[in-house]
């Protein structure tokens, strides 16, 4: 069993609440989303890997980490944030890096996302999983970065 941890501090929501049909419809997989808490005094939020593994895809707005079990997890930082072209985002590791759960992968400025009119919600999705196959106990709770979201 692998425990998937939250990539940021914030409020856990169901994917159905994500303002994007692909995530809300669980078309890429099941999971949960985290609405990031505003950092004290504003500023940059660090996004950490939800599991130990290899970063197999890395973009400023999203990354995929494959854990030891071979399961891929997509962490998508905001909705439509690809349109920012990396503005407000900083990559901390390189594609192909091996990370531990809780290691910082990306940093982003939620103010840049908000000013562009986008949601900063962060879906955490088990790629190619069946709809509703991820435990939802954390939905409705507030978590710290690195606290458990669900078990695989």
């Amino acid at each position: 069993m692998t425990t998937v941890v939250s990539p940021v501090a914030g409020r856990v929501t169901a994917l159905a609440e994500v303002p994007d049909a692909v995530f809300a419809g669980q078309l890429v997989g099941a999971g949960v989303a985290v609405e990031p808490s505003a950092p004290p005094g504003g500023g940059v939020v660090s996004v950490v890997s939800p599991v130990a593994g290899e970063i197999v895809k890395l973009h400023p707005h999203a990354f995929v980490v494959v854990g030891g079990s071979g399961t891929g997890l997509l962490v998508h930082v905001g909705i439509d944030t690809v349109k920012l072209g990396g503005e407000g985002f900083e990559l901390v590791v390189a594609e192909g890096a091996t990370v531990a759960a809780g290691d910082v992968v990306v940093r982003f400025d939620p103010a840049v996302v908000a000013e562009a009119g986008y949601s900063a919600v962060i879906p955490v999705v088990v790629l190619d999983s069946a709809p509703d196959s991820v435990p939802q106990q954390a939905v409705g709770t507030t978590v710290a970065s690195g606290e458990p979201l669900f078990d695989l």
Side-chain angles (χ1 to χ4, degrees):
M1 185 171 73
T2 300
T3 297
V4 176
V5 302
S6 184
V8 295
R11 187 177 67 84
V12 182
T13 66
L15 285 180
E17 295 180 40
V18 173
D20 178 275
V22 171
F23 289 115
Q26 302 183 53
L27 300 180
V28 291
V32 298
V34 183
E35 186 69 53
S37 301
V44 172
V45 171
S46 293
V47 182
V48 304
S49 180
V51 294
E54 180 185 353
I55 304 293
V56 297
K57 283 281 179 211
L58 179 65
H59 303 282
H61 67 283
F63 62 91
V64 174
V65 58
V66 174
S69 66
T71 301
L73 282 149
L74 169 65
V75 177
H76 202 283
V77 185
I79 302 302
D80 292 332
T81 46
V82 65
K83 297 175 185 173
L84 293 171
E87 181 187 347
F89 291 81
E90 173 198 358
L91 298 176
V92 178
V93 300
E95 195 166 288
T98 299
V99 294
D103 283 357
V104 177
V105 177
V106 175
R107 291 189 180 98
F108 82 106
D109 187 340
V112 172
V113 173
E115 286 163 14
Y118 303 133
S119 168
V121 71
I122 301 176
V124 180
V125 176
V126 180
L127 292 174
D128 302 321
S129 59
D132 303 318
S133 62
V134 166
Q136 302 288 300
Q137 291 94 322
V139 170
T141 68
T142 300
V143 294
S145 179
E147 284 189 342
L149 286 177
F150 56 85
D151 291 324
L152 287 177

